[in-house]
Amino acid sequence: MIGQTKDVGFQIGVSKTVPHPPEAVWRFLTGPAGIALWLGAGATLEKGATYRTADGTTGEIRSHRELDRVRLTWRPADWDHDTTVQVAIVGKGDRTQLRFHQEWLADADERARQRDHWQRTITAVTTALTTEP
């Protein structure tokens, strides 16, 4: 089945290359406005910290590697299971590839919903980066 692995269940990844240097993309993603867009208002990205966003999503920051990636558990308030989300960047000059990846999704339907979610998220982040001072 598409998106199903033997190790991490169903997974989804979306990526986009943006015309911004990696430092600017990282600064936005890990700052309050960026965190609110892709993770949810109220979260912080300190490794080992647990979080609860304004909409009730909960999780734990598993890793935070500067200018590289953040990996965390992610459970919306209405879900009965945790998933793992990773946001990563790969930069070259003044262009940066931004990637969102989610593992441990319950089934193909949840995978499809999360693909739509991360596509909307990456569009919102891209738009916000263009309007950042």
Side-chain angles (χ1 to χ4, degrees):
M1 194 162 246
I2 294 176
Q4 185 174 22
T5 70
K6 69 177 188 170
D7 296 330
V8 295
F10 285 86
Q11 63 180 347
I12 186 63
V14 298
S15 66
K16 182 169 186 154
T17 300
V18 295
H20 304 284
E23 296 81 9
V25 174
W26 188 257
R27 186 173 50 250
F28 179 75
L29 287 173
T30 60
I35 292 171
L37 263 182
W38 71 267
L39 181 55
T44 61
L45 300 180
E46 183 180 332
K47 183 180 176 184
T50 58
Y51 68 89
R52 175 179 286 283
T53 65
D55 71 0
T57 298
T58 60
E60 178 185 349
I61 308 303
R62 295 290 173 90
S63 69
H64 181 163
R65 294 188 346 210
E66 192 69 19
L67 290 170
D68 183 31
R69 69 191 66 226
V70 175
R71 191 167 173 84
L72 51 96
T73 60
W74 192 77
R75 181 191 289 207
D78 60 345
W79 285 19
D80 65 357
H81 62 284
D82 287 341
T83 61
T84 300
V85 171
Q86 178 173 278
V87 58
I89 66 166
V90 177
K92 186 170 185 170
D94 61 353
R95 297 180 64 74
T96 303
Q97 183 186 59
L98 171 60
R99 294 183 286 189
F100 288 95
H101 184 84
Q102 189 170 17
E103 303 169 342
W104 298 108
L105 297 165
D107 54 33
D109 289 338
E110 189 171 87
R111 179 184 183 273
R113 287 190 306 274
Q114 289 310 109
R115 181 185 59 231
D116 292 344
H117 169 80
W118 293 117
Q119 287 172 336
R120 286 189 310 274
T121 300
I122 214 163
T123 298
V125 168
T126 301
T127 300
L129 279 166
T130 354
T131 60
E132 273 288 292

